[in-house]
PDB file of all heavy atoms in Angstrom:
ATOM      1  N   PRO A  12       5.638 141.546  59.096  1.00 92.00           N
ATOM      2  CA  PRO A  12       4.968 141.214  60.353  1.00 92.00           C
ATOM      3  C   PRO A  12       5.968 141.075  61.500  1.00 92.00           C
ATOM      4  O   PRO A  12       7.079 140.580  61.316  1.00 92.00           O
ATOM      5  CB  PRO A  12       4.296 139.870  60.047  1.00 92.00           C
ATOM      6  CG  PRO A  12       5.126 139.280  58.957  1.00 92.00           C
ATOM      7  CD  PRO A  12       5.594 140.440  58.124  1.00 92.00           C
ATOM      8  N   ALA A  13       5.584 141.515  62.682  1.00 93.00           N
ATOM      9  CA  ALA A  13       6.448 141.421  63.851  1.00 93.00           C
ATOM     10  C   ALA A  13       6.450 139.988  64.383  1.00 93.00           C
ATOM     11  O   ALA A  13       5.456 139.270  64.301  1.00 93.00           O
ATOM     12  CB  ALA A  13       5.968 142.376  64.937  1.00 93.00           C
ATOM     13  N   GLY A  14       7.586 139.570  64.921  1.00 95.00           N
ATOM     14  CA  GLY A  14       7.688 138.250  65.520  1.00 95.00           C
ATOM     15  C   GLY A  14       8.666 137.359  64.799  1.00 95.00           C
ATOM     16  O   GLY A  14       9.296 137.747  63.808  1.00 95.00           O
ATOM     17  N   SER A  15       8.783 136.129  65.287  1.00 97.00           N
ATOM     18  CA  SER A  15       9.741 135.176  64.739  1.00 97.00           C
ATOM     19  C   SER A  15       9.325 134.688  63.357  1.00 97.00           C
ATOM     20  O   SER A  15       8.130 134.544  63.069  1.00 97.00           O
ATOM     21  CB  SER A  15       9.874 133.973  65.672  1.00 97.00           C
ATOM     22  OG  SER A  15      10.446 134.353  66.903  1.00 97.00           O
ATOM     23  N   ILE A  16      10.298 134.424  62.525  1.00 97.00           N
ATOM     24  CA  ILE A  16      10.059 133.830  61.217  1.00 97.00           C
ATOM     25  C   ILE A  16       9.412 132.461  61.401  1.00 97.00           C
ATOM     26  O   ILE A  16       9.821 131.680  62.255  1.00 97.00           O
ATOM     27  CB  ILE A  16      11.381 133.684  60.438  1.00 97.00           C
ATOM     28  CG1 ILE A  16      11.991 135.059  60.187  1.00 97.00           C
ATOM     29  CG2 ILE A  16      11.184 132.935  59.135  1.00 97.00           C
ATOM     30  CD1 ILE A  16      13.415 135.017  59.693  1.00 97.00           C
ATOM     31  N   TYR A  17       8.402 132.175  60.597  1.00 96.00           N
ATOM     32  CA  TYR A  17       7.683 130.913  60.726  1.00 96.00           C
ATOM     33  C   TYR A  17       8.584 129.724  60.392  1.00 96.00           C
ATOM     34  O   TYR A  17       9.333 129.751  59.419  1.00 96.00           O
ATOM     35  CB  TYR A  17       6.465 130.906  59.795  1.00 96.00           C
ATOM     36  CG  TYR A  17       5.646 129.646  59.897  1.00 96.00           C
ATOM     37  CD1 TYR A  17       4.833 129.430  60.996  1.00 96.00           C
ATOM     38  CD2 TYR A  17       5.704 128.667  58.903  1.00 96.00           C
ATOM     39  CE1 TYR A  17       4.077 128.268  61.107  1.00 96.00           C
ATOM     40  CE2 TYR A  17       4.960 127.510  59.009  1.00 96.00           C
ATOM     41  CZ  TYR A  17       4.147 127.314  60.111  1.00 96.00           C
ATOM     42  OH  TYR A  17       3.408 126.164  60.227  1.00 96.00           O
ATOM     43  N   ASP A  18       8.483 128.690  61.205  1.00 96.00           N
ATOM     44  CA  ASP A  18       9.303 127.484  61.037  1.00 96.00           C
ATOM     45  C   ASP A  18       8.593 126.518  60.096  1.00 96.00           C
ATOM     46  O   ASP A  18       7.974 125.548  60.511  1.00 96.00           O
ATOM     47  CB  ASP A  18       9.562 126.836  62.396  1.00 96.00           C
ATOM     48  CG  ASP A  18      10.509 125.648  62.306  1.00 96.00           C
ATOM     49  OD1 ASP A  18      11.017 125.383  61.196  1.00 96.00           O
ATOM     50  OD2 ASP A  18      10.726 124.991  63.338  1.00 96.00           O
ATOM     51  N   SER A  19       8.696 126.794  58.796  1.00 94.00           N
ATOM     52  CA  SER A  19       8.072 125.935  57.787  1.00 94.00           C
ATOM     53  C   SER A  19       8.863 124.648  57.619  1.00 94.00           C
ATOM     54  O   SER A  19      10.088 124.636  57.751  1.00 94.00           O
ATOM     55  CB  SER A  19       7.996 126.673  56.451  1.00 94.00           C
ATOM     56  OG  SER A  19       7.646 125.795  55.402  1.00 94.00           O
ATOM     57  N   THR A  20       8.188 123.570  57.297  1.00 94.00           N
ATOM     58  CA  THR A  20       8.861 122.291  57.031  1.00 94.00           C
ATOM     59  C   THR A  20       9.169 122.108  55.546  1.00 94.00           C
ATOM     60  O   THR A  20       9.703 121.075  55.150  1.00 94.00           O
ATOM     61  CB  THR A  20       7.990 121.118  57.497  1.00 94.00           C
ATOM     62  OG1 THR A  20       6.742 121.144  56.784  1.00 94.00           O
ATOM     63  CG2 THR A  20       7.720 121.201  58.995  1.00 94.00           C
ATOM     64  N   ARG A  21       8.857 123.107  54.729  1.00 94.00           N
ATOM     65  CA  ARG A  21       9.076 122.991  53.291  1.00 94.00           C
ATOM     66  C   ARG A  21      10.552 123.163  52.945  1.00 94.00           C
ATOM     67  O   ARG A  21      11.350 123.662  53.727  1.00 94.00           O
ATOM     68  CB  ARG A  21       8.230 124.025  52.543  1.00 94.00           C
ATOM     69  CG  ARG A  21       6.739 123.886  52.761  1.00 94.00           C
ATOM     70  CD  ARG A  21       6.240 122.517  52.401  1.00 94.00           C
ATOM     71  NE  ARG A  21       4.794 122.406  52.547  1.00 94.00           N
ATOM     72  CZ  ARG A  21       4.113 121.279  52.481  1.00 94.00           C
ATOM     73  NH1 ARG A  21       4.769 120.133  52.287  1.00 94.00           N
ATOM     74  NH2 ARG A  21       2.809 121.255  52.620  1.00 94.00           N
ATOM     75  N   ASN A  22      10.896 122.785  51.730  1.00 96.00           N
ATOM     76  CA  ASN A  22      12.282 122.843  51.289  1.00 96.00           C
ATOM     77  C   ASN A  22      12.815 124.272  51.212  1.00 96.00           C
ATOM     78  O   ASN A  22      12.071 125.223  50.963  1.00 96.00           O
ATOM     79  CB  ASN A  22      12.429 122.218  49.898  1.00 96.00           C
ATOM     80  CG  ASN A  22      12.241 120.728  49.897  1.00 96.00           C
ATOM     81  OD1 ASN A  22      12.320 120.082  50.929  1.00 96.00           O
ATOM     82  ND2 ASN A  22      11.986 120.165  48.723  1.00 96.00           N
ATOM     83  N   PHE A  23      14.111 124.399  51.399  1.00 97.00           N
ATOM     84  CA  PHE A  23      14.851 125.602  51.079  1.00 97.00           C
ATOM     85  C   PHE A  23      15.171 125.544  49.587  1.00 97.00           C
ATOM     86  O   PHE A  23      15.557 124.489  49.074  1.00 97.00           O
ATOM     87  CB  PHE A  23      16.137 125.644  51.898  1.00 97.00           C
ATOM     88  CG  PHE A  23      17.077 126.757  51.543  1.00 97.00           C
ATOM     89  CD1 PHE A  23      16.916 128.017  52.076  1.00 97.00           C
ATOM     90  CD2 PHE A  23      18.147 126.524  50.674  1.00 97.00           C
ATOM     91  CE1 PHE A  23      17.795 129.046  51.758  1.00 97.00           C
ATOM     92  CE2 PHE A  23      19.030 127.543  50.353  1.00 97.00           C
ATOM     93  CZ  PHE A  23      18.847 128.810  50.894  1.00 97.00           C
ATOM     94  N   MET A  24      15.007 126.666  48.882  1.00 98.00           N
ATOM     95  CA  MET A  24      15.170 126.633  47.432  1.00 98.00           C
ATOM     96  C   MET A  24      16.037 127.784  46.939  1.00 98.00           C
ATOM     97  O   MET A  24      16.015 128.886  47.498  1.00 98.00           O
ATOM     98  CB  MET A  24      13.809 126.662  46.740  1.00 98.00           C
ATOM     99  CG  MET A  24      12.910 125.493  47.139  1.00 98.00           C
ATOM    100  SD  MET A  24      11.327 125.465  46.281  1.00 98.00           S
ATOM    101  CE  MET A  24      11.839 124.925  44.653  1.00 98.00           C
ATOM    102  N   ILE A  25      16.781 127.516  45.898  1.00 98.00           N
ATOM    103  CA  ILE A  25      17.578 128.521  45.200  1.00 98.00           C
ATOM    104  C   ILE A  25      17.129 128.528  43.749  1.00 98.00           C
ATOM    105  O   ILE A  25      17.183 127.502  43.066  1.00 98.00           O
ATOM    106  CB  ILE A  25      19.080 128.200  45.296  1.00 98.00           C
ATOM    107  CG1 ILE A  25      19.556 128.330  46.748  1.00 98.00           C
ATOM    108  CG2 ILE A  25      19.897 129.114  44.378  1.00 98.00           C
ATOM    109  CD1 ILE A  25      21.014 127.990  46.962  1.00 98.00           C
ATOM    110  N   GLY A  26      16.623 129.659  43.296  1.00 98.00           N
ATOM    111  CA  GLY A  26      16.227 129.799  41.899  1.00 98.00           C
ATOM    112  C   GLY A  26      14.757 129.589  41.610  1.00 98.00           C
ATOM    113  O   GLY A  26      14.354 129.660  40.446  1.00 98.00           O
ATOM    114  N   ALA A  27      13.944 129.346  42.633  1.00 98.00           N
ATOM    115  CA  ALA A  27      12.510 129.150  42.439  1.00 98.00           C
ATOM    116  C   ALA A  27      11.827 129.195  43.795  1.00 98.00           C
ATOM    117  O   ALA A  27      12.481 129.227  44.841  1.00 98.00           O
ATOM    118  CB  ALA A  27      12.216 127.821  41.743  1.00 98.00           C
ATOM    119  N   LYS A  28      10.489 129.165  43.779  1.00 95.00           N
ATOM    120  CA  LYS A  28       9.729 129.006  45.018  1.00 95.00           C
ATOM    121  C   LYS A  28       8.773 127.837  44.848  1.00 95.00           C
ATOM    122  O   LYS A  28       8.513 127.374  43.738  1.00 95.00           O
ATOM    123  CB  LYS A  28       8.950 130.274  45.363  1.00 95.00           C
ATOM    124  CG  LYS A  28       7.749 130.556  44.453  1.00 95.00           C
ATOM    125  CD  LYS A  28       6.908 131.710  44.991  1.00 95.00           C
ATOM    126  CE  LYS A  28       5.663 131.944  44.139  1.00 95.00           C
ATOM    127  NZ  LYS A  28       4.799 133.011  44.666  1.00 95.00           N
ATOM    128  N   ASN A  29       8.259 127.344  45.976  1.00 91.00           N
ATOM    129  CA  ASN A  29       7.208 126.330  46.023  1.00 91.00           C
ATOM    130  C   ASN A  29       7.710 124.950  45.597  1.00 91.00           C
ATOM    131  O   ASN A  29       7.697 124.597  44.420  1.00 91.00           O
ATOM    132  CB  ASN A  29       5.999 126.743  45.168  1.00 91.00           C
ATOM    133  CG  ASN A  29       4.777 125.898  45.496  1.00 91.00           C
ATOM    134  OD1 ASN A  29       4.849 124.950  46.280  1.00 91.00           O
ATOM    135  ND2 ASN A  29       3.653 126.256  44.907  1.00 91.00           N
ATOM    136  N   SER A  30       8.110 124.152  46.575  1.00 84.00           N
ATOM    137  CA  SER A  30       8.647 122.821  46.274  1.00 84.00           C
ATOM    138  C   SER A  30       7.590 121.855  45.758  1.00 84.00           C
ATOM    139  O   SER A  30       7.926 120.855  45.124  1.00 84.00           O
ATOM    140  CB  SER A  30       9.304 122.228  47.524  1.00 84.00           C
ATOM    141  OG  SER A  30       8.385 122.153  48.590  1.00 84.00           O
ATOM    142  N   GLN A  31       6.305 122.126  46.010  1.00 84.00           N
ATOM    143  CA  GLN A  31       5.258 121.236  45.513  1.00 84.00           C
ATOM    144  C   GLN A  31       4.970 121.478  44.035  1.00 84.00           C
ATOM    145  O   GLN A  31       4.711 120.537  43.281  1.00 84.00           O
ATOM    146  CB  GLN A  31       3.982 121.423  46.341  1.00 84.00           C
ATOM    147  CG  GLN A  31       4.126 120.929  47.780  1.00 84.00           C
ATOM    148  CD  GLN A  31       2.815 120.974  48.518  1.00 84.00           C
ATOM    149  OE1 GLN A  31       1.981 121.850  48.300  1.00 84.00           O
ATOM    150  NE2 GLN A  31       2.621 120.026  49.420  1.00 84.00           N
ATOM    151  N   ALA A  32       5.018 122.734  43.624  1.00 90.00           N
ATOM    152  CA  ALA A  32       4.798 123.089  42.213  1.00 90.00           C
ATOM    153  C   ALA A  32       5.704 124.269  41.895  1.00 90.00           C
ATOM    154  O   ALA A  32       5.266 125.416  41.885  1.00 90.00           O
ATOM    155  CB  ALA A  32       3.337 123.439  41.959  1.00 90.00           C
ATOM    156  N   PRO A  33       6.996 124.017  41.656  1.00 95.00           N
ATOM    157  CA  PRO A  33       7.965 125.103  41.485  1.00 95.00           C
ATOM    158  C   PRO A  33       7.544 126.135  40.440  1.00 95.00           C
ATOM    159  O   PRO A  33       7.001 125.802  39.381  1.00 95.00           O
ATOM    160  CB  PRO A  33       9.239 124.359  41.068  1.00 95.00           C
ATOM    161  CG  PRO A  33       9.087 123.011  41.684  1.00 95.00           C
ATOM    162  CD  PRO A  33       7.632 122.686  41.570  1.00 95.00           C
ATOM    163  N   SER A  34       7.815 127.402  40.757  1.00 96.00           N
ATOM    164  CA  SER A  34       7.431 128.494  39.868  1.00 96.00           C
ATOM    165  C   SER A  34       8.352 129.680  40.127  1.00 96.00           C
ATOM    166  O   SER A  34       9.240 129.623  40.974  1.00 96.00           O
ATOM    167  CB  SER A  34       5.978 128.902  40.121  1.00 96.00           C
ATOM    168  OG  SER A  34       5.817 129.376  41.456  1.00 96.00           O
ATOM    169  N   ASP A  35       8.143 130.774  39.390  1.00 97.00           N
ATOM    170  CA  ASP A  35       8.904 132.011  39.564  1.00 97.00           C
ATOM    171  C   ASP A  35      10.404 131.734  39.510  1.00 97.00           C
ATOM    172  O   ASP A  35      11.151 132.082  40.427  1.00 97.00           O
ATOM    173  CB  ASP A  35       8.513 132.703  40.871  1.00 97.00           C
ATOM    174  CG  ASP A  35       7.067 133.137  40.902  1.00 97.00           C
ATOM    175  OD1 ASP A  35       6.790 134.256  40.444  1.00 97.00           O
ATOM    176  OD2 ASP A  35       6.221 132.346  41.353  1.00 97.00           O
ATOM    177  N   PHE A  36      10.822 131.128  38.409  1.00 98.00           N
ATOM    178  CA  PHE A  36      12.214 130.702  38.259  1.00 98.00           C
ATOM    179  C   PHE A  36      13.137 131.893  38.005  1.00 98.00           C
ATOM    180  O   PHE A  36      12.806 132.801  37.243  1.00 98.00           O
ATOM    181  CB  PHE A  36      12.332 129.694  37.110  1.00 98.00           C
ATOM    182  CG  PHE A  36      11.523 128.449  37.324  1.00 98.00           C
ATOM    183  CD1 PHE A  36      10.292 128.298  36.715  1.00 98.00           C
ATOM    184  CD2 PHE A  36      11.986 127.440  38.156  1.00 98.00           C
ATOM    185  CE1 PHE A  36       9.536 127.145  36.913  1.00 98.00           C
ATOM    186  CE2 PHE A  36      11.242 126.292  38.366  1.00 98.00           C
ATOM    187  CZ  PHE A  36      10.013 126.148  37.749  1.00 98.00           C
ATOM    188  N   TYR A  37      14.286 131.838  38.618  1.00 98.00           N
ATOM    189  CA  TYR A  37      15.338 132.837  38.435  1.00 98.00           C
ATOM    190  C   TYR A  37      16.077 132.556  37.128  1.00 98.00           C
ATOM    191  O   TYR A  37      16.275 131.397  36.751  1.00 98.00           O
ATOM    192  CB  TYR A  37      16.299 132.767  39.625  1.00 98.00           C
ATOM    193  CG  TYR A  37      17.563 133.568  39.462  1.00 98.00           C
ATOM    194  CD1 TYR A  37      17.579 134.929  39.757  1.00 98.00           C
ATOM    195  CD2 TYR A  37      18.740 132.965  39.034  1.00 98.00           C
ATOM    196  CE1 TYR A  37      18.749 135.670  39.616  1.00 98.00           C
ATOM    197  CE2 TYR A  37      19.907 133.695  38.887  1.00 98.00           C
ATOM    198  CZ  TYR A  37      19.903 135.047  39.179  1.00 98.00           C
ATOM    199  OH  TYR A  37      21.063 135.766  39.039  1.00 98.00           O
ATOM    200  N   ASP A  38      16.508 133.610  36.459  1.00 98.00           N
ATOM    201  CA  ASP A  38      17.190 133.462  35.169  1.00 98.00           C
ATOM    202  C   ASP A  38      18.546 134.160  35.221  1.00 98.00           C
ATOM    203  O   ASP A  38      18.622 135.391  35.150  1.00 98.00           O
ATOM    204  CB  ASP A  38      16.334 134.068  34.060  1.00 98.00           C
ATOM    205  CG  ASP A  38      16.869 133.754  32.670  1.00 98.00           C
ATOM    206  OD1 ASP A  38      17.562 132.728  32.517  1.00 98.00           O
ATOM    207  OD2 ASP A  38      16.583 134.530  31.735  1.00 98.00           O
ATOM    208  N   GLY A  39      19.600 133.368  35.371  1.00 98.00           N
ATOM    209  CA  GLY A  39      20.936 133.951  35.392  1.00 98.00           C
ATOM    210  C   GLY A  39      21.904 133.141  36.226  1.00 98.00           C
ATOM    211  O   GLY A  39      21.626 132.001  36.625  1.00 98.00           O
ATOM    212  N   LEU A  40      23.060 133.729  36.501  1.00 98.00           N
ATOM    213  CA  LEU A  40      24.083 133.095  37.315  1.00 98.00           C
ATOM    214  C   LEU A  40      23.891 133.488  38.782  1.00 98.00           C
ATOM    215  O   LEU A  40      23.388 134.581  39.085  1.00 98.00           O
ATOM    216  CB  LEU A  40      25.472 133.521  36.855  1.00 98.00           C
ATOM    217  CG  LEU A  40      25.843 133.232  35.398  1.00 98.00           C
ATOM    218  CD1 LEU A  40      27.196 133.830  35.076  1.00 98.00           C
ATOM    219  CD2 LEU A  40      25.844 131.745  35.121  1.00 98.00           C
ATOM    220  N   ILE A  41      24.313 132.597  39.664  1.00 98.00           N
ATOM    221  CA  ILE A  41      24.247 132.871  41.096  1.00 98.00           C
ATOM    222  C   ILE A  41      25.450 132.226  41.764  1.00 98.00           C
ATOM    223  O   ILE A  41      25.913 131.156  41.367  1.00 98.00           O
ATOM    224  CB  ILE A  41      22.915 132.351  41.698  1.00 98.00           C
ATOM    225  CG1 ILE A  41      22.790 132.762  43.160  1.00 98.00           C
ATOM    226  CG2 ILE A  41      22.782 130.844  41.533  1.00 98.00           C
ATOM    227  CD1 ILE A  41      21.385 132.564  43.703  1.00 98.00           C
ATOM    228  N   ASP A  42      25.962 132.901  42.782  1.00 98.00           N
ATOM    229  CA  ASP A  42      27.155 132.404  43.455  1.00 98.00           C
ATOM    230  C   ASP A  42      27.166 132.897  44.902  1.00 98.00           C
ATOM    231  O   ASP A  42      26.459 133.858  45.259  1.00 98.00           O
ATOM    232  CB  ASP A  42      28.414 132.903  42.729  1.00 98.00           C
ATOM    233  CG  ASP A  42      29.655 132.083  43.057  1.00 98.00           C
ATOM    234  OD1 ASP A  42      29.525 131.003  43.657  1.00 98.00           O
ATOM    235  OD2 ASP A  42      30.765 132.519  42.700  1.00 98.00           O
ATOM    236  N   GLU A  43      27.966 132.235  45.727  1.00 98.00           N
ATOM    237  CA  GLU A  43      28.232 132.668  47.096  1.00 98.00           C
ATOM    238  C   GLU A  43      26.946 132.970  47.876  1.00 98.00           C
ATOM    239  O   GLU A  43      26.756 134.052  48.427  1.00 98.00           O
ATOM    240  CB  GLU A  43      29.145 133.890  47.086  1.00 98.00           C
ATOM    241  CG  GLU A  43      30.567 133.588  46.675  1.00 98.00           C
ATOM    242  CD  GLU A  43      31.344 132.804  47.736  1.00 98.00           C
ATOM    243  OE1 GLU A  43      31.319 133.192  48.918  1.00 98.00           O
ATOM    244  OE2 GLU A  43      31.968 131.783  47.365  1.00 98.00           O
ATOM    245  N   VAL A  44      26.053 131.994  47.944  1.00 98.00           N
ATOM    246  CA  VAL A  44      24.814 132.137  48.707  1.00 98.00           C
ATOM    247  C   VAL A  44      25.096 131.903  50.185  1.00 98.00           C
ATOM    248  O   VAL A  44      25.655 130.865  50.559  1.00 98.00           O
ATOM    249  CB  VAL A  44      23.739 131.160  48.196  1.00 98.00           C
ATOM    250  CG1 VAL A  44      22.532 131.149  49.123  1.00 98.00           C
ATOM    251  CG2 VAL A  44      23.327 131.522  46.779  1.00 98.00           C
ATOM    252  N   ARG A  45      24.692 132.850  51.021  1.00 98.00           N
ATOM    253  CA  ARG A  45      24.959 132.781  52.458  1.00 98.00           C
ATOM    254  C   ARG A  45      23.689 133.087  53.244  1.00 98.00           C
ATOM    255  O   ARG A  45      22.995 134.059  52.952  1.00 98.00           O
ATOM    256  CB  ARG A  45      26.056 133.783  52.846  1.00 98.00           C
ATOM    257  CG  ARG A  45      27.337 133.611  52.032  1.00 98.00           C
ATOM    258  CD  ARG A  45      28.306 134.765  52.216  1.00 98.00           C
ATOM    259  NE  ARG A  45      29.481 134.603  51.354  1.00 98.00           N
ATOM    260  CZ  ARG A  45      30.499 135.463  51.300  1.00 98.00           C
ATOM    261  NH1 ARG A  45      30.483 136.556  52.053  1.00 98.00           N
ATOM    262  NH2 ARG A  45      31.534 135.227  50.498  1.00 98.00           N
ATOM    263  N   VAL A  46      23.412 132.259  54.236  1.00 98.00           N
ATOM    264  CA  VAL A  46      22.264 132.448  55.119  1.00 98.00           C
ATOM    265  C   VAL A  46      22.785 132.536  56.545  1.00 98.00           C
ATOM    266  O   VAL A  46      23.452 131.614  57.030  1.00 98.00           O
ATOM    267  CB  VAL A  46      21.256 131.289  54.998  1.00 98.00           C
ATOM    268  CG1 VAL A  46      20.074 131.504  55.945  1.00 98.00           C
ATOM    269  CG2 VAL A  46      20.762 131.141  53.558  1.00 98.00           C
ATOM    270  N   TRP A  47      22.481 133.642  57.213  1.00 98.00           N
ATOM    271  CA  TRP A  47      22.912 133.874  58.593  1.00 98.00           C
ATOM    272  C   TRP A  47      21.682 134.030  59.477  1.00 98.00           C
ATOM    273  O   TRP A  47      20.655 134.551  59.035  1.00 98.00           O
ATOM    274  CB  TRP A  47      23.738 135.154  58.701  1.00 98.00           C
ATOM    275  CG  TRP A  47      24.868 135.316  57.742  1.00 98.00           C
ATOM    276  CD1 TRP A  47      24.794 135.718  56.434  1.00 98.00           C
ATOM    277  CD2 TRP A  47      26.257 135.111  58.009  1.00 98.00           C
ATOM    278  NE1 TRP A  47      26.049 135.774  55.871  1.00 98.00           N
ATOM    279  CE2 TRP A  47      26.974 135.415  56.816  1.00 98.00           C
ATOM    280  CE3 TRP A  47      26.978 134.718  59.148  1.00 98.00           C
ATOM    281  CZ2 TRP A  47      28.356 135.334  56.730  1.00 98.00           C
ATOM    282  CZ3 TRP A  47      28.360 134.641  59.057  1.00 98.00           C
ATOM    283  CH2 TRP A  47      29.032 134.939  57.867  1.00 98.00           C
ATOM    284  N   ASN A  48      21.791 133.665  60.747  1.00 98.00           N
ATOM    285  CA  ASN A  48      20.659 133.856  61.666  1.00 98.00           C
ATOM    286  C   ASN A  48      20.840 135.080  62.548  1.00 98.00           C
ATOM    287  O   ASN A  48      20.204 135.202  63.597  1.00 98.00           O
ATOM    288  CB  ASN A  48      20.430 132.607  62.519  1.00 98.00           C
ATOM    289  CG  ASN A  48      21.597 132.291  63.444  1.00 98.00           C
ATOM    290  OD1 ASN A  48      22.618 132.981  63.446  1.00 98.00           O
ATOM    291  ND2 ASN A  48      21.454 131.234  64.242  1.00 98.00           N
ATOM    292  N   VAL A  49      21.685 136.006  62.117  1.00 98.00           N
ATOM    293  CA  VAL A  49      21.910 137.270  62.811  1.00 98.00           C
ATOM    294  C   VAL A  49      21.884 138.407  61.798  1.00 98.00           C
ATOM    295  O   VAL A  49      21.901 138.181  60.584  1.00 98.00           O
ATOM    296  CB  VAL A  49      23.276 137.290  63.547  1.00 98.00           C
ATOM    297  CG1 VAL A  49      23.288 136.272  64.673  1.00 98.00           C
ATOM    298  CG2 VAL A  49      24.420 137.052  62.569  1.00 98.00           C
ATOM    299  N   VAL A  50      21.852 139.625  62.303  1.00 98.00           N
ATOM    300  CA  VAL A  50      21.985 140.801  61.443  1.00 98.00           C
ATOM    301  C   VAL A  50      23.468 141.083  61.250  1.00 98.00           C
ATOM    302  O   VAL A  50      24.189 141.407  62.197  1.00 98.00           O
ATOM    303  CB  VAL A  50      21.300 142.026  62.084  1.00 98.00           C
ATOM    304  CG1 VAL A  50      21.582 143.276  61.254  1.00 98.00           C
ATOM    305  CG2 VAL A  50      19.801 141.790  62.201  1.00 98.00           C
ATOM    306  N   ARG A  51      23.948 140.921  60.039  1.00 98.00           N
ATOM    307  CA  ARG A  51      25.329 141.260  59.728  1.00 98.00           C
ATOM    308  C   ARG A  51      25.459 142.783  59.633  1.00 98.00           C
ATOM    309  O   ARG A  51      24.566 143.470  59.125  1.00 98.00           O
ATOM    310  CB  ARG A  51      25.747 140.629  58.404  1.00 98.00           C
ATOM    311  CG  ARG A  51      25.726 139.113  58.408  1.00 98.00           C
ATOM    312  CD  ARG A  51      26.931 138.539  59.113  1.00 98.00           C
ATOM    313  NE  ARG A  51      28.121 138.606  58.261  1.00 98.00           N
ATOM    314  CZ  ARG A  51      29.341 138.295  58.683  1.00 98.00           C
ATOM    315  NH1 ARG A  51      29.545 137.961  59.944  1.00 98.00           N
ATOM    316  NH2 ARG A  51      30.368 138.352  57.850  1.00 98.00           N
ATOM    317  N   THR A  52      26.568 143.304  60.113  1.00 98.00           N
ATOM    318  CA  THR A  52      26.773 144.748  60.068  1.00 98.00           C
ATOM    319  C   THR A  52      27.126 145.189  58.653  1.00 98.00           C
ATOM    320  O   THR A  52      27.535 144.392  57.806  1.00 98.00           O
ATOM    321  CB  THR A  52      27.897 145.169  61.017  1.00 98.00           C
ATOM    322  OG1 THR A  52      29.146 144.675  60.516  1.00 98.00           O
ATOM    323  CG2 THR A  52      27.661 144.635  62.424  1.00 98.00           C
ATOM    324  N   ALA A  53      26.985 146.488  58.427  1.00 97.00           N
ATOM    325  CA  ALA A  53      27.343 147.037  57.127  1.00 97.00           C
ATOM    326  C   ALA A  53      28.811 146.776  56.810  1.00 97.00           C
ATOM    327  O   ALA A  53      29.168 146.456  55.662  1.00 97.00           O
ATOM    328  CB  ALA A  53      27.050 148.539  57.101  1.00 97.00           C
ATOM    329  N   THR A  54      29.666 146.869  57.812  1.00 98.00           N
ATOM    330  CA  THR A  54      31.091 146.631  57.610  1.00 98.00           C
ATOM    331  C   THR A  54      31.359 145.179  57.254  1.00 98.00           C
ATOM    332  O   THR A  54      32.160 144.876  56.351  1.00 98.00           O
ATOM    333  CB  THR A  54      31.883 147.005  58.873  1.00 98.00           C
ATOM    334  OG1 THR A  54      31.696 148.398  59.143  1.00 98.00           O
ATOM    335  CG2 THR A  54      33.366 146.719  58.700  1.00 98.00           C
ATOM    336  N   GLU A  55      30.690 144.260  57.937  1.00 98.00           N
ATOM    337  CA  GLU A  55      30.880 142.835  57.650  1.00 98.00           C
ATOM    338  C   GLU A  55      30.435 142.491  56.236  1.00 98.00           C
ATOM    339  O   GLU A  55      31.114 141.740  55.518  1.00 98.00           O
ATOM    340  CB  GLU A  55      30.105 141.998  58.670  1.00 98.00           C
ATOM    341  CG  GLU A  55      30.733 142.004  60.051  1.00 98.00           C
ATOM    342  CD  GLU A  55      29.835 141.380  61.100  1.00 98.00           C
ATOM    343  OE1 GLU A  55      28.599 141.411  60.939  1.00 98.00           O
ATOM    344  OE2 GLU A  55      30.378 140.857  62.091  1.00 98.00           O
TER     345      GLU A  55
END
């Protein structure tokens, strides 16, 4: 959808979704999680 990302008050999560009833759990190792508010270039 076009427009700004919705400003939800719910938790940020790593490895699952839905802070009220967590589900869809990730299975494995995870490292170096990064969240940016810009478009990073291919070179970056």
Side-chain angles (χ1 to χ4, degrees):
S15 294
I16 297 168
Y17 182 74
D18 185 4
S19 168
T20 60
R21 300 304 183 190
N22 290 342
F23 173 84
M24 301 183 74
I25 293 178
K28 71 171 184 177
N29 195 355
S30 58
Q31 292 187 326
S34 62
D35 297 272
F36 299 100
Y37 170 84
D38 189 26
L40 302 175
I41 186 167
D42 199 12
E43 289 289 311
V44 171
R45 306 168 184 180
V46 179
W47 310 80
N48 64 358
V49 294
V50 174
R51 297 282 283 173
T52 68
T54 299
E55 288 170 332

